[in-house]
Amino acid sequence: MKGTVLYGPGDIRFEDREDPKISAQTDAIVRLSATCVCGSDLWPYRGLQPIDGPTPMGHEYCGIVEEVGSAVKFIKPGQFVVGSFATSDNTCPHCLYGYQSSCMHREFMLRAQAPFLRVPQAEGTLVATPGVPSKDLVPSLLAASDVLGTGWFAADAANVKPGGTVVVVGDGAVGLLGVLSAKQMGAGRIIAMSRHEKRQKLAREFGATDIVTERGDEGIARIKDLTKGIGADSVLECVGTKESMMQAIHSTRPGGYVSYVGVPHGVELDGQQLFFTHVHLHGGPAPVRPKLIDLILNGAINPGKVFDLALPLDQVAEGYRAMDERRAIKALLRP
Ligand SMILES: [Zn+2]
């Protein structure tokens, strides 16, 4: 088969690779219905995160199970499954506390921008849908394998409560789905920070009540204006830079909650400053073991709308370029 490999900054190749095979009896092989490019893929693509030689890419996926190892009982060939970017047994203490992305048997997935994928810990990592879903649901189910779960965790970790005031920093797919999640959790007011017209529109569609285009100190001042000088109850940091983190912390009221789900790059916090802000911080790689599938299947949410570009998998390099240049929010790839 062919698969996606990053060779260096801006150098994505779709090239021959070995077909994946069962290597542990807890593995499954999945024929992918769709995969996509993640915002976090852009860090190494832009040369802002070093890679150790040619690196197979992709960690968001859904599709039909082809084959399973002998220890896999509940996931069966022919089922449609949604996976996660981190594998999990779903039985260890961390998993049982709901932190599957810190599973004691965790592996971070790679190689999903390909037609076939080996998934370790298949029974814990994969969630099967009842029956094979219709094609129009595939983008939303694909979103459940990372970006929706990450947006949901961002809202959850920021303690979004019915009636609360929420700020979302970052207008990428995760931020937009943080808006959707906050809306589902009953937030009273959702302020999306975005200066990109198309993304503002989708944020409003997902439930944003206000848009703030300013950033940094000006952005913080706007949030204070909008909240009678108090700050927000919950702030979702969905970028991962120092600027976005400081913007999030200083937009939060004392006693409020900041979640951070963007992989941090160059974020350093000043202890004294943090001390006097009185905010709760909770974040990390989201436990996205797909759990929002019912909401998708019954039509309550349509997170697949973040995919505003769909390409054949062999045009994956264009998917990276479009996201890098912010021409696309998120690129879906069809094998
Ligand atoms: Zn576990």
Side-chain angles (χ1 to χ4, degrees), residues 87-96 99-106 121:
T87 67
S88 59
D89 55 18
N90 209 33
T91 55
C92 80
H94 301 331
C95 284
L96 296 179
Y99 285 79
Q100 286 91 349
S101 47
S102 273
C103 177
M104 290 171 169
H105 294 109
R106 175 185 68 190
Q121 302 291 339

Side-chain angles (χ1 to χ4, degrees), residues 143-176:
S145 91
D146 178 350
V147 65
L148 171 62
T150 300
W152 190 274
F153 176 63
D156 201 28
N159 196 43
V160 172
K161 292 279 187 249
T165 296
V166 177
V167 169
V168 180
V169 180
D171 62 2
V174 168
L176 292 167

